[in-house]
Amino acid sequence: MKKFLAVLSTLVMLGTLASCGGASSSSDSDTGAKTSSNTESKTDAKTDEGSSSKTDESSSGEGKTVGIAMPTKSLERWNRDGEYLKDKFEEAGYKVELKYSDNDTNQQNNDIQGMIADNVDLLLIAAIDGNTLSQTLSDAKDAGISVVAYDRLIMNTDAVSYYVSFDNYTVGKLQGEFVRDQLKLDSEAGPFNIEFTAGDPADNNAGYFFNGAYDALKKYIDEGKLNIPSGKTKFEQVATDKWSTDKALENMQNTLASYYSKDEQLDVALCSNDSTALGVAQAIASDYKGKNVPIVTGQDGDIANLKNIVDGKQSMTVYKNVNDEAAATLEVSKAILSGQTPDEGLLSSIEAEAAYDTSSYDNGSKVVPSYLLVPYVITKDNLDVLVKTGLYKWDSDNKYLESTAETT
């Protein structure tokens, strides 16, 4: 970065800068992770050709463009995230290119390549599959475009400058602790029966969710207070491709038919997110023969699941406030685009509770400096917490929540 600034300063003094070409260079925090001089080399090369990198503009964002790549419109949460981020960046004065990639990794690569060709200044990417973007992001790095991984860590590339997400291990931990408290596992002998439904193997976060939940309950599994009749104790055994509601429905129907066909009682269906919880709740409603209502966990605060919470078909969801995530992402992005190197000091600019982590998120090529926000538990007793975010409102009967977010 020092080299880059020195070159930039010299060029300004010579009066040779032109308003064309690449984006502002990315900066890695001083974490001992690998860094690269590709951006600097590219800046030098373009100068030799008579071109230049983009000049630092005001922190208002005037003239700068942020490319936002979201996975799909088929899941409610990505509609909320994408539109909310677009609005906030535009309010801050940035131009925005927003793409949804229909859960197609090839399309997402093409979408991002299009943004690179459009000469965006920064890429904000929620990856469909964090393992499929290495070459495309290498091209972004060569073009001097900084990359922020949004919500999902992007793997096996040193082109990622920062990661903004929630503490995903804590998401699962909160689910496990909810089960612990509801079953009073510290005082009750049990045994209780539990089955796990995890997320998409292509989503790096899915493993964190599952591990957080399993680790929170492992003590009780080892003690015999919690039994897993299916024997499925590994993430790979309970993963759900693309977080599909239909696949989760099918998997739970098979589990119920194989292990709960008589009078066996299912006490807990621990689901990593709301789209899978929706399918599991459908399977329980149609195929479960037990007399009790199992505990069903979730994550995201999807409208259909919040209705199920009111109706007693789902017990809780872990909510990750997109307002908080977008606000943190905006602060990180503004710092990058103004030539700063975001670090722990940026936390004072983030209104939500967050932590700066420089050790936990190794993507296989580098340890990615991360800003991690804090999720929280939503039950039927505290739905007003969601209303206060401004993204939800009560319906006309004051019974169910509706979304206030733009989703089209």
Side-chain angles (χ1 to χ4, degrees), residues 64-140:
K64 294 190 175 181
T65 302
V66 177
I68 302 176
M70 291 282 120
T72 179
K73 280 194 169 185
S74 67
L75 289 182
E76 180 183 317
R77 70 144 302 177
W78 296 120
N79 286 281
R80 291 201 307 264
D81 287 52
E83 297 300 331
Y84 191 86
L85 283 163
K86 181 175 183 291
D87 289 345
K88 290 304 176 184
F89 275 102
E90 288 179 342
E91 286 175 11
Y94 296 96
K95 298 176 183 177
V96 175
E97 286 191 33
L98 172 61
K99 301 288 186 182
Y100 295 90
S101 302
D102 198 28
N103 266 333
D104 184 325
T105 57
N106 289 329
Q107 182 177 330
Q108 187 164 59
N109 274 285
N110 290 337
D111 287 342
I112 296 170
Q113 287 286 1
M115 294 177 188
I116 295 170
D118 289 342
N119 203 28
V120 299
D121 296 274
L122 181 141
L123 284 166
L124 182 61
I125 302 170
I128 296 169
D129 183 341
N131 292 292
T132 63
L133 296 173
S134 298
Q135 182 54 56
T136 294
L137 295 193
S138 177
D139 294 343

Side-chain angles (χ1 to χ4, degrees), residues 353-364:
E353 184 179 356
Y356 182 62
D357 187 315
T358 58
S359 61
S360 299
Y361 288 87
D362 188 336
N363 75 350

Side-chain angles (χ1 to χ4, degrees), residues 1-14 40 43-44:
M1 179 59 74
K2 290 180 179 178
K3 177 181 175 185
F4 171 72
L5 293 174
V7 171
L8 184 57
S9 176
T10 301
L11 291 174
V12 171
M13 291 174 63
L14 292 174
E40 297 169 350
T43 304
D44 293 342

